[in-house]
Amino acid sequence: MAAAKRTTAALLVGLLAALSLLGCGAGAAPEGPSIPFLAAAVTEAGPGAFTISWQAPGAGQVTVYAGTDPARVGRTRQLAVGAGSETRQVTGLPAADRWWFELVPATGQSLVLADRSLHLAGAPNFRDLGGYRTQDGRWVRMGVLYRSDQLDKLTDADLAKVTRLGIRTVVDLRTAAERSAGPDRVPAGARGQVEDVLAGSGVSTDIAGQLSAAAAATDTMRAVERVMVDSPGARSAYRGLVAAVADPGDRPLVFHCTAGKDRTGWASASILTALGVPEQAVLDDYLRSNTYVLPKYAPLLAALPAAKAAQARPLLEVRPEYLRAGTDEAALRYGSMDGYLRQALGASPDQLRGELLVGRPG
């Protein structure tokens, strides 16, 4: 009998040890499955119409549900059932501030996405910074961080929509002159935080005053990108932004400048890089400003003589070489973008990833 008890005890000890190694022992919760999607996106094609695409090879069947609450999409409105990699067109959804879509694979964790653009009349570059896959297989959470152009031109309907996003913090990256000329329309319940990126840099935001040869304008934009890495005012401003991003009490948060493409573009690239988003996806997000900003400037360019329009265009758009000037400067000064994030901005990538990513590495 004693030998049998000893054998049973030894088996129990061995079983507990095995469970501990698997991460399922007492006090350790088992890890859930990873998100199997290699790519996924939602784009609004018109009122109540969306294009939903995904790539999840090996995940088996994917079922798509829609809802208006990202925390509880609910699995009552089923839109589509498809294979592991497909593109589906959805129409006929009723009017809503924002539709969210849960992609549920047969194997693995589901993914909740929405169109990144908020489609605001007065702030066309207002968009979600989430919905990107990271290098380790996690995804940037949506509905938490937003990037935008100036908020002083929000219509009443825009402002009501932004208020319903639950924004807690508005970080304004503009200069004192810009803020005075166009004060933010801050949504109810949100606090404003000023982080002037160009403070003390001597950089002008007057486009008319910067018109010169197109090549010189391109050089100017690259130089401004380097200023946003090097200048004490920029480092202080971006450090303040990163601190707010890292504080759960300040989220959901929106940060913006005037066009939402340069100061905001560098901030977005820095945050996405800290979260582990691949370089090409970071560049794609940066360049997407051209889609939303250039139509706003089209009347201005059309009114200029062709030569002047050619000189102005580099100042009104973003280009890969602009962002590359910033990342090259960060590598020169700090050894890498990781060094810049940690040393110049005081960022903790591990903390940011723990709070702003969904899924688990896989």
Side-chain angles (χ1 to χ4, degrees), residues 143-144 146 159-169 187-190 249-254:
V144 179
Y146 298 92
L159 184 59
K161 188 173 183 178
V162 172
T163 299
R164 289 191 292 270
L165 293 175
I167 298 293
R168 292 181 178 177
T169 311
D250 283 341
R251 304 191 302 257
L253 174 152
V254 58

Side-chain angles (χ1 to χ4, degrees), residues 7-331:
T7 300
T8 301
L11 288 172
L12 287 171
V13 169
L15 178 60
L16 288 172
L19 288 173
S20 177
L21 288 172
L22 290 171
C24 300
E31 285 190 327
S34 61
I35 297 173
F37 295 96
L38 303 181
V42 172
T43 304
E44 185 173 341
F50 295 85
T51 300
I52 306 168
S53 61
W54 64 86
Q55 295 177 24
Q61 177 176 286
V62 174
T63 306
V64 181
Y65 299 91
T68 56
D69 183 347
R72 293 178 296 278
V73 170
R75 298 185 180 178
T76 57
R77 187 186 290 268
Q78 180 178 310
L79 300 181
V81 177
S85 298
E86 284 201 27
T87 296
R88 289 295 186 94
Q89 309 295 327
V90 173
T91 59
L93 290 175
D97 275 353
R98 198 176 190 195
W99 278 101
W100 294 84
F101 302 87
E102 184 176 11
L103 281 60
V104 183
T107 303
Q109 185 178 338
S110 67
L111 178 64
V112 176
L113 296 175
D115 185 2
R116 288 192 187 91
S117 175
L118 273 294
H119 301 280
L120 302 180
N125 208 9
F126 192 119
R127 47 195 165 103
D128 202 310
L129 196 60
Y132 291 108
R133 188 178 188 269
T134 65
Q135 296 179 66
D136 66 6
R138 289 180 284 180
W139 286 75
V140 182
R141 189 186 304 274
M142 298 195 77
V144 179
L145 298 179
Y146 298 92
R147 53 172 296 173
S148 183
D149 43 350
Q150 60 199 85
L151 301 183
D152 58 295
K153 291 180 170 55
L154 292 177
T155 66
D156 289 344
D158 290 340
L159 184 59
K161 188 173 183 178
V162 172
T163 299
R164 289 191 292 270
L165 293 175
I167 298 293
R168 292 181 178 177
T169 311
V170 176
V171 181
D172 191 339
L173 306 178
R174 298 177 301 166
T175 65
E178 290 172 300
R179 298 193 306 273
S180 177
D184 273 345
R185 300 195 72 185
V186 177
R191 72 173 185 87
Q193 176 176 328
V194 172
E195 300 292 352
D196 183 350
V197 171
L198 299 180
S201 68
V203 172
S204 171
T205 58
D206 176 18
I207 293 176
Q210 297 181 52
L211 287 180
S212 58
T218 300
D219 289 342
T220 295
M221 297 305 295
R222 285 197 291 256
V224 169
E225 202 77 19
R226 288 189 285 269
V227 165
M228 292 191 291
V229 175
D230 286 340
S231 77
R235 290 198 301 270
S236 175
Y238 287 132
R239 181 179 284 261
L241 170 61
V242 167
V245 166
D247 186 344
D250 283 341
R251 304 191 302 257
L253 174 152
V254 58
F255 56 94
H256 75 94
C257 53
T258 295
K261 65 182 184 72
D262 300 312
R263 288 163 286 185
T264 297
W266 177 251
S268 300
S270 298
I271 292 168
L272 291 176
T273 299
L275 294 175
V277 174
E279 184 177 333
Q280 184 59 52
V282 173
L283 177 60
D284 290 344
D285 180 82
Y286 178 79
L287 294 177
R288 201 162 280 122
S289 282
N290 289 334
T291 300
Y292 299 110
V293 172
L294 283 179
K296 180 171 68 173
Y297 293 132
L300 168 64
L301 292 172
L304 292 173
K308 284 294 184 183
Q311 294 168 10
R313 192 175 182 90
L315 303 172
L316 301 176
E317 64 186 6
V318 287
R319 298 180 177 181
E321 57 263 37
Y322 299 169
L323 182 59
R324 190 161 52 247
T327 56
D328 286 351
E329 190 69 13

